[in-house]
Amino acid sequence: KISDDAQTIKLADIIDNADDIVTNDPQFARIYLVEINELIPLLSRGNKILFDRATNLINNHLKDYKFTSLRDGLEETIKYYENRSSSC
């Protein structure tokens, strides 16, 4: 269980990093956005303003990638990690 303060810090971290990741590493951003989209609902005890801002930010970026479903994004994430592990 993560404290409310720790959840607020994680929300601030997401807000601070999301735009940079999308801009500077679009390949990784596809994976990051899907993973963060799954994480954000678990951070609901953090600051409500930051929670709403992080949710909207990630949702807007996900729209840019035009996933037809979250499942598509998750499948791409799995393939990404499988390829990384097989090349190590």
Side-chain angles (χ1 to χ4, degrees), residues 1-15 39-55:
K1 184 173 179 179
I2 301 172
S3 73
D4 297 359
D5 288 341
Q7 290 188 20
T8 296
I9 291 167
K10 184 60 182 174
L11 290 165
D13 179 64
I14 291 167
I15 292 165
L39 175 65
I40 287 177
L42 304 176
L43 303 175
S44 62
R45 290 191 343 267
N47 178 280
K48 298 303 177 202
I49 293 170
L50 294 181
F51 179 84
D52 291 343
R53 187 170 171 199
T55 299

Side-chain angles (χ1 to χ4, degrees), residues 12-56:
D13 179 64
I14 291 167
I15 292 165
D16 188 53
N17 290 322
D19 288 334
D20 286 337
I21 290 170
V22 168
T23 300
N24 296 315
D25 193 349
Q27 181 66 26
F28 174 69
R30 299 175 70 85
I31 286 72
Y32 173 80
L33 293 170
V34 169
E35 290 178 353
I36 294 300
N37 192 54
E38 292 291 309
L39 175 65
I40 287 177
L42 304 176
L43 303 175
S44 62
R45 290 191 343 267
N47 178 280
K48 298 303 177 202
I49 293 170
L50 294 181
F51 179 84
D52 291 343
R53 187 170 171 199
T55 299
N56 291 332

